[in-house]
Amino acid sequence: MSTNPAEEYQWRETYFILFSSSRRPTLAQVEDALSQLGGRVQLQNMVADDEGSFESLMLRSPEDYAALEISYETGDAVVAQRAELAKQLKDDAGAQTLQRLMRADSRLDVMHFERVTEDSLQSVDEDEFDEMLDPTCLLMAVEALTELTEGIAIDPASGEVLE
């Protein structure tokens, strides 16, 4: 993910934002929502389809030593995933959340990467490095995109809905 040999990015986690395709944002709307995060972020590699709808982008936050790759997905895999998630969440999520989830036919994948430099790898052991992980950029972006799409944000590793 980096052309600088002194640094690299390591994948840490992926969050999903499930929503109805009728709420699919344009690239301009996504850019505006993420720009609200302030000067801490840089948007790169922004891609839209022919109608201007959002496809993907990369967000970098040097202050947080983080980068996010955000992409739009739709189709049978999303529909199958929503059914599986609804089964997993049926005892913990409210009826309204489950209804919104079952209407979802699209999602944003938000992949979180941590910037690692040679210095940080040599000076910190892995347990300490995991404790240094700052999810601020990830959480702020997920919140902004969830609001934009009126979606449901899910941490698939824990199976939790982020509200």
Side-chain angles (χ1 to χ4, degrees), residues 10 12 18 36 41 64 80 101 113 126 131 146 160 163:
Q10 294 182 352
R12 292 298 179 184
L18 288 102
Q36 302 300 316
V41 299
D64 297 325
L101 180 60
F113 295 86
E126 189 171 328
E131 289 178 17
T146 300
E160 289 186 27
E163 299 194 61

Side-chain angles (χ1 to χ4, degrees), residues 32-63:
D32 183 53
L34 295 176
S35 294
Q36 302 300 316
L37 303 181
R40 70 187 301 134
V41 299
Q42 305 162 355
L43 303 179
Q44 303 171 332
N45 304 333
M46 296 183 286
V47 179
D49 67 10
D50 293 338
E51 289 82 40
S53 296
F54 176 76
E55 287 288 333
S56 64
L57 64 72
M58 178 183 293
L59 179 150
R60 291 183 191 256
S61 180
E63 185 178 314

Side-chain angles (χ1 to χ4, degrees), residues 11-152:
W11 174 81
R12 292 298 179 184
E13 58 201 327
T14 300
Y15 281 35
F16 298 127
I17 302 169
L18 288 102
F19 58 97
S20 170
S21 58
S22 67
R23 295 288 308 159
R24 182 179 183 182
T26 65
L27 178 59
Q29 289 171 319
V30 170
E31 185 176 4
D32 183 53
L34 295 176
S35 294
Q36 302 300 316
L37 303 181
R40 70 187 301 134
V41 299
Q42 305 162 355
L43 303 179
Q44 303 171 332
N45 304 333
M46 296 183 286
V47 179
D49 67 10
D50 293 338
E51 289 82 40
S53 296
F54 176 76
E55 287 288 333
S56 64
L57 64 72
M58 178 183 293
L59 179 150
R60 291 183 191 256
S61 180
E63 185 178 314
D64 297 325
Y65 290 87
L68 304 177
E69 284 188 15
I70 304 169
S71 61
Y72 174 78
E73 302 293 332
T74 192
D76 293 340
V78 175
V79 172
Q81 180 188 36
R82 80 169 184 212
E84 185 61 36
L85 286 168
K87 286 180 194 174
Q88 291 174 7
L89 297 171
K90 71 179 179 178
D91 295 332
D92 298 325
Q96 185 179 12
T97 299
L98 290 173
Q99 287 174 354
R100 287 179 41 224
L101 180 60
M102 289 309 295
R103 287 191 299 266
D105 58 357
S106 298
R107 79 169 185 245
L108 295 177
D109 294 355
V110 183
M111 295 175 283
H112 183 209
F113 295 86
E114 187 77 8
R115 183 170 61 94
V116 181
T117 64
E118 287 180 12
D119 292 339
S120 66
L121 288 174
Q122 292 174 0
S123 64
V124 179
D125 71 27
E126 189 171 328
D127 290 336
E128 287 176 307
F129 185 75
D130 286 341
E131 289 178 17
M132 290 174 33
L133 180 62
D134 183 356
T136 302
C137 173
L138 169 68
L139 297 175
M140 290 173 61
V142 167
E143 181 179 355
L145 295 170
T146 300
E147 186 175 310
L148 175 65
T149 60
E150 296 179 9
I152 299 170

